[in-house]
Amino acid sequence: SHMEAHQEVLEQLRAGIAVFDSERRLRFVNLAYAALWGLDYDWLSANPLLTEILEMLRQKRRLPEVTDFAEFRRRMERRFQTLLAPEEGLVHLPDGRCFREIAAPHPLGGLLFVLEDVTDRLALESSYNTLIAVQRGVLNQLADGVAAFATDGRVTMFNPTFLRLLGIA
């Protein structure tokens, strides 16, 4: 059937997919979603409520650290009434992992969640930014004027000495 074909496609994705109905009950989940959260796929397939999933994640210490869990849970549940357009955010977990989460209203009511582990990408971005900052710091300390030009002749990088030698502010 058309629905089974859809489910087969969603099952192949590396991103975690979960669909909740308007009663906040899990109606579809793929293996990746279960694996990302470290939850039992069979348990998830038995259609638990969002609150039951949140409680399980809290017991396993897999949720972001929050001071008021009851308020956090209410905020998650309120999205079923208030979310009108897709919303994207980062979820920082106690084990150091970071998920990119997209929550979107589902056409049949309820919400669709897409979860992606972006831990490595963020770590790579962070070390790249550190490297660039260190390079810039070193360049700015040099007594020599330094500039880099792109193939079209435009200046892509320069240090203060370069500007001073050319008499440019």
Side-chain angles (χ1 to χ4, degrees), residues 129-142:
N129 290 340
T130 302
L131 183 67
I132 295 297
V134 168
Q135 273 184 346
R136 185 158 286 127
V138 169
L139 275 181
N140 289 347
Q141 299 307 311
L142 291 176

Side-chain angles (χ1 to χ4, degrees), residues 9-110:
V9 169
L10 293 176
E11 207 50 78
Q12 303 308 312
L13 297 177
R14 281 195 13 247
I17 310 281
V19 178
F20 290 84
D21 65 18
S22 55
E23 305 299 310
R24 299 174 188 78
R25 191 168 287 286
L26 186 61
R27 287 298 167 197
F28 173 82
V29 64
N30 68 355
L31 285 164
Y33 186 88
L36 284 167
W37 283 121
L39 293 173
D40 181 59
Y41 180 73
D42 293 333
W43 181 77
L44 288 170
S45 299
N47 310 112
L49 290 164
L50 175 67
T51 51
E52 295 170 321
I53 294 171
L54 291 173
E55 192 54 54
M56 179 68 78
L57 288 171
R58 181 171 84 131
Q59 285 170 19
K60 293 176 174 275
R61 300 211 52 243
R62 300 230 168 89
L63 284 178
E65 298 292 339
V66 291
T67 47
D68 185 350
F69 177 72
E71 175 50 36
F72 171 79
R73 191 176 55 218
R74 278 192 298 276
R75 202 169 64 242
M76 294 295 112
E77 290 218 293
R78 265 197 305 270
R79 293 160 96 180
F80 282 84
Q81 280 90 39
T82 59
L83 198 66
L84 302 173
E87 188 179 86
E88 189 179 317
L90 292 176
V91 181
H92 297 276
L93 302 184
D95 64 7
R97 288 183 303 157
C98 183
F99 293 162
R100 174 174 165 251
E101 180 193 70
I102 299 169
H106 193 273
L108 303 174

